[in-house]
Amino acid sequence: EDKVVQSPLSLVVHEGDTVTLNCSYEVTNFRSLLWYKQEKKAPTFLFMLTSSGIEKKSGRLSSILDKKELSSILNITATQTGDSAIYLCAGLYNFNKFYFGSGTKLNVKP
Amino acid sequence: NAGVTQTPKFRVLKTGQSMTLLCAQDMNHEYMYWYRQDPGMGLRLIHYSVGEGTTAKGEVPDGYNVSRLKKQNFLLGLESAAPSQTSVYFCASSLGNSDTQYFGPGTRLTVL
């Protein structure tokens, strides 16, 4: 059973749209949740969330953790073609284990 | 700072051959990780290390071995490659266990 599940698997939007990506996680030994953006090669870090209800923001991207719902969302406002990528969610668990979701592939069309 | 580097970038092996992937980081990070990424799937942790001389198994360790003889290097070995090990391999490092992971550019391995 997957510890981290992302939805949707893929998404196509037009420039200027706002998108919300979802990530749910298994609670046992959970410590933190991380979001990454993966374009052509290596994932690059976006956010790390440890506390529930505190929004983290970076430009047009924002993310929040909901420990009651065991989930997190990543919002992207005013999307641009450069936002096209795979967005990965990962849970950090005890004993330094990271478990990644399968990713959401976002395609932003001009 | 080069960050995290991986060699080689590409490799093709025949079934049964062995090889070693090298990961190097120049950020003085304690933690290092090896992942594999298969089409349509996220990254899966193979092995990790919390410091020089230590290694531990991740989610999918079978068929792989690792060594961390120097703090800056983390080696991933395949003793007898199998087609199921065809994948893109990513190395990552972090300062501590609650810190951001920085990823290398990846190694694309094909086993025929």
Side-chain angles (χ1 to χ4, degrees):
Chain A
E1 191 176 333
D2 292 337
K3 278 188 178 296
V4 176
V5 178
Q6 292 185 246
S7 64
L9 291 180
S10 65
L11 197 53
V12 180
V13 300
H14 288 94
E15 274 193 316
D17 288 349
T18 293
V19 297
T20 299
L21 310 183
N22 301 285
C23 178
S24 61
Y25 62 89
E26 188 180 296
V27 71
T28 305
N29 295 323
F30 173 82
R31 291 169 56 186
S32 301
L33 190 128
L34 298 91
W35 284 97
Y36 291 84
K37 178 182 181 182
Q38 185 175 25
E39 294 176 268
K40 290 182 181 177
K41 286 197 172 179
T44 53
F45 172 77
L46 294 174
F47 301 109
M48 175 184 271
L49 305 160
T50 305
S51 300
S52 191
I54 298 175
E55 185 183 54
K56 292 209 172 180
K57 202 170 169 64
S58 176
R60 296 177 292 103
L61 277 67
S62 63
S63 185
I64 195 163
L65 181 66
D66 186 337
K67 285 190 172 180
K68 283 186 183 175
E69 297 295 326
L70 306 181
S71 66
S72 173
I73 59 170
L74 175 69
N75 278 324
I76 309 174
T77 59
T79 51
Q80 302 170 356
T81 55
D83 295 326
S84 294
I86 296 173
Y87 289 84
L88 295 168
C89 167
L92 170 60
Y93 289 80
N94 284 346
F95 308 111
N96 312 303
K97 298 277 183 81
F98 285 86
Y99 291 90
F100 281 77
S102 54
T104 293
K105 186 173 184 179
L106 174 65
N107 184 6
V108 181
K109 293 190 170 182
Chain B
N1 268 357
V4 180
T5 58
Q6 292 182 231
T7 52
K9 289 186 169 52
F10 303 94
R11 186 73 187 267
V12 178
L13 291 179
K14 293 182 179 177
T15 298
Q17 286 185 315
S18 63
M19 77 161 293
T20 300
L21 307 184
L22 171 63
C23 176
Q25 52 94 3
D26 61 1
M27 297 176 281
N28 202 34
H29 284 173
E30 290 292 335
Y31 290 71
M32 295 186 76
Y33 309 82
W34 274 109
Y35 293 91
R36 60 177 288 173
Q37 187 174 34
D38 301 300
M41 298 180 73
L43 292 100
R44 290 183 291 169
L45 182 63
I46 305 171
H47 286 280
Y48 65 97
S49 167
V50 301
E52 183 179 315
T54 72
T55 63
K57 293 181 181 180
E59 188 182 356
V60 289
D62 294 341
Y64 305 95
N65 56 74
V66 288
S67 64
R68 183 106 180 263
L69 299 179
K70 292 183 179 181
K71 187 177 183 179
Q72 63 267 36
N73 295 336
F74 195 29
L75 278 65
L76 177 72
L78 287 74
E79 290 183 348
S80 179
S84 61
Q85 294 177 305
T86 294
S87 188
V88 179
Y89 291 85
F90 287 101
C91 174
S93 71
S94 63
L95 189 60
N97 62 0
S98 296
D99 293 299
T100 306
Q101 288 188 335
Y102 294 88
F103 283 83
T107 295
R108 184 174 294 276
L109 175 66
T110 301
V111 182
L112 302 175

